[in-house]
Amino acid sequence: MVFIIADNQELTRYAVERLLDTYADKQVFHASNRTDLVSLLRVHEESVIILDYTLFDFPDIQNLIILTQRYPQSNWVLLSEDLTEQHMSNIVYNSTNIGILFKDSPLKDVESAISSACTGQRYISQHIMEVLLAQKKQDDDMKSTLTRTEIEIIRAVTQGKTTKEIAAERSLSIHTINTHRKNIFRKLGVNTAHEAIKAVVRAGLIDESEYYI
């Protein structure tokens, strides 16, 4: 069995190596960046990769998912502590060979995740699923909370339009648009337009392609 440890925390690397001591006839390699990792995967396509995505130089989570799809015989254990709900959701729903758990998970969970990867299965920790289910409920509640007008206004905000422009397009006063914005922020539990946009994109109310940067 070939293992690739892709984690730039020395303590974590040491701990993972000790967990791998129980596997006979193993080979353990280390990757310190994405280039190293790809080079190792080209030689060892059937390997188990233990990765901390948040400490590596992937430009985004989609780039990681694409890499795992290029090497379908590989199996991955994503072991991180700073994953966002969006990261977790993308991994769970858009990949088939990436297991995922937090670094503060019980040791038995980490062992189970590695063991599952060795048999071609992926391990999703209970904590991860609880976070995703709670987020889904929050997103569903949001969809039923915002009115059609409020959704249209926040969509205009994502497109980079100012309050004055939105008011002119809808033949409403600036005061009315500001009131709608305040109501949207209150319902979403956010304080800024950026936070509101992230919330509605995550909930699927606004397509990410509509987001004006």
Side-chain angles (χ1 to χ4, degrees):
M1 177 64 66
V2 175
F3 296 95
I4 301 174
I5 302 175
D7 192 310
N8 288 319
Q9 281 186 337
E10 187 174 358
L11 183 60
T12 302
R13 291 199 305 268
Y14 177 82
V16 170
E17 283 188 1
R18 299 292 72 78
L19 289 177
L20 300 180
D21 283 343
T22 59
Y23 292 87
D25 301 322
K26 67 181 181 298
Q27 290 181 282
V28 180
F29 298 94
H30 293 271
S32 58
N33 53 52
R34 185 179 179 280
T35 301
D36 288 348
L37 180 56
V38 172
S39 296
L40 287 168
L41 282 169
R42 287 172 179 163
V43 179
H44 306 286
E45 294 189 13
E46 297 182 34
S47 57
V48 172
I49 301 91
I50 302 163
L51 166 75
D52 187 340
Y53 167 79
T54 60
L55 295 180
F56 241 57
D57 57 343
F58 284 96
D60 52 48
I61 203 71
Q62 191 59 36
N63 190 271
L64 168 62
I65 292 173
I66 291 171
L67 181 62
T68 67
Q69 292 169 344
R70 283 174 53 194
Y71 298 95
Q73 293 177 294
S74 64
N75 289 281
W76 301 65
V77 176
L78 199 60
L79 186 63
S80 295
E81 57 188 356
D82 293 319
L83 292 170
T84 66
E85 286 89 350
Q86 191 65 43
H87 287 153
M88 291 183 275
S89 179
N90 280 334
I91 291 166
V92 170
Y93 299 118
N94 297 316
S95 70
T96 59
N97 58 344
I98 308 179
I100 177 173
L101 69 166
F102 290 116
K103 275 189 173 178
D104 62 356
S105 299
L107 185 60
K108 63 180 180 62
D109 288 359
V110 180
E111 292 172 332
S112 294
I114 295 174
S115 176
S116 295
C118 289
T119 58
Q121 306 296 315
R122 72 169 183 166
Y123 179 93
I124 309 296
S125 75
Q126 182 178 349
H127 188 186
I128 296 289
M129 292 308 301
E130 288 173 352
V131 170
L132 290 178
L133 288 172
Q135 186 61 59
K136 184 178 185 305
K137 182 180 184 305
Q138 181 178 331
D139 292 345
D140 289 344
D141 290 344
M142 182 192 307
K143 291 177 182 178
S144 63
T145 297
L146 293 183
T147 66
R148 174 178 292 183
T149 297
E150 288 168 344
I151 293 173
E152 291 173 353
I153 289 173
I154 193 64
R155 176 177 284 113
V157 173
T158 67
Q159 294 168 348
K161 294 178 181 178
T162 65
T163 299
K164 184 177 180 179
E165 290 171 332
I166 298 170
E169 287 181 356
R170 304 184 67 85
S171 299
L172 296 172
S173 70
I174 292 176
H175 173 74
T176 299
I177 299 301
N178 279 331
T179 299
H180 279 302
R181 285 172 61 107
K182 289 178 182 177
N183 288 337
I184 292 169
F185 287 9
R186 175 179 54 78
K187 290 180 178 181
L188 298 183
V190 301
N191 297 310
T192 67
H194 180 67
E195 291 174 342
I197 291 169
K198 286 175 60 178
V200 295
V201 169
R202 185 182 60 233
L205 289 172
I206 303 294
D207 190 275
E208 196 167 358
S209 63
E210 297 181 72
Y211 188 4
Y212 173 84
I213 301 176

